[in-house]
Amino acid sequence: MLEPFRAIIDGDEPPPPGSRGPDAEELIRALQVMLKAQVIYADTPGVGRAYELARHYAPFFNDYFACLGYALTVAHRDQMVSLSPAADAPRYDIVGERLRKDETLVLLALRLLYEEGLRDARVGTDGIVECTTDEIVEKIRTAARNDPPDEGRLGEILRLFARRGGLKLGERDRIERVTPLALLPGLTVIASEGWMERLRAWADARG
């Protein structure tokens, strides 16, 4: 990995169109951002040039993260770059962590709402599905047959998944006490098909 890294910072690899090549600090930061966030977009705030560099130097990023058991995906249509663990590999990312029950329920509801948006053609050209916190609460009650977390806790959980690139939170309506959400394509990375299958198998085994 040292030789490809050096080739990029020494300018032996062509820089991004209309831009300069990164220095060592920028390239290291981009790698760290990807590892921490797992999903980033062209407009993700606070990530510097991470999206631009990961997209342009995708072969290097892919080889680097392959050593850690991840695959890099560049989704040009969604302007998204993401890391996905191999299906049969142990996970140590946010989903690999032991999520609390309420976090799992919220993530499940988010993924189901995103799937419904795709099925009902309510997805925009940028891959975004709009919903509200009320819909999350209702989905937990009806689909998961569980009590949803209270408003404050729900907000904490949503901010957690927002930091991972799964959604964007809108401005809360203080009168209706509801918050609009933009569900992002990164939800399918955070709550992958493999995660959904394991969750179903766990529920079936307990049922």
Side-chain angles (χ1 to χ4, degrees):
M1 284 296 102
L2 290 179
E3 289 184 10
F5 181 92
R6 191 171 299 281
I8 292 173
I9 63 175
D10 287 347
D12 296 334
E13 293 287 338
S19 184
R20 58 175 176 78
D23 57 24
E25 183 177 348
E26 285 180 309
L27 192 54
I28 290 171
R29 183 188 182 197
L31 291 166
Q32 292 177 342
V33 164
M34 285 303 310
L35 192 59
K36 180 180 179 181
Q38 190 179 353
V39 181
I40 62 172
Y41 304 86
D43 61 353
T44 298
V47 298
R49 299 177 66 198
Y51 171 80
E52 175 192 17
L53 298 180
R55 184 183 64 174
H56 182 72
Y57 298 111
F60 164 73
F61 276 73
N62 189 61
D63 290 345
Y64 179 88
F65 287 113
C67 298
L68 304 178
Y70 288 93
L72 182 84
T73 300
V74 179
H76 295 283
R77 185 196 66 182
D78 299 324
Q79 294 189 298
M80 178 181 80
V81 180
S82 63
L83 293 177
S84 301
D88 57 349
R91 298 192 67 164
Y92 301 101
D93 59 352
I94 188 170
V95 177
E97 297 170 2
R98 187 176 294 277
L99 294 177
R100 296 180 180 178
K101 179 181 177 181
D102 57 358
E103 294 167 344
T104 301
L105 290 172
V106 171
L107 184 56
L108 174 62
L110 291 170
R111 177 61 196 261
L112 292 176
L113 288 168
Y114 190 79
E115 288 182 352
E116 289 179 4
L118 295 178
R119 184 192 64 209
D120 300 338
R122 291 186 292 104
V123 60
T125 56
D126 48 7
I128 293 176
V129 172
E130 305 286 345
C131 76
T132 68
T133 46
D134 276 356
E135 291 176 80
I136 295 173
V137 168
E138 184 62 21
K139 185 63 66 177
I140 292 174
R141 285 178 175 151
T142 58
R145 298 180 183 177
N146 270 269
D147 293 328
D150 63 36
E151 184 181 6
R153 176 59 179 156
L154 178 59
E156 291 178 8
I157 297 171
L158 291 174
R159 286 190 290 274
L160 168 66
F161 294 130
R163 289 193 295 271
R164 288 290 182 167
L167 59 99
K168 289 182 179 178
L169 288 145
E171 189 70 25
R172 179 177 178 270
D173 187 318
R174 295 180 181 274
I175 298 175
E176 298 293 334
R177 298 184 66 180
V178 64
T179 301
L181 305 173
L183 306 185
L184 306 178
L187 267 176
T188 61
V189 178
I190 300 172
S192 66
E193 287 295 334
W195 179 77
M196 294 285 286
E197 289 173 5
R198 289 192 295 273
L199 193 60
R200 291 188 189 103
W202 177 84
D204 291 343
R206 291 177 62 90

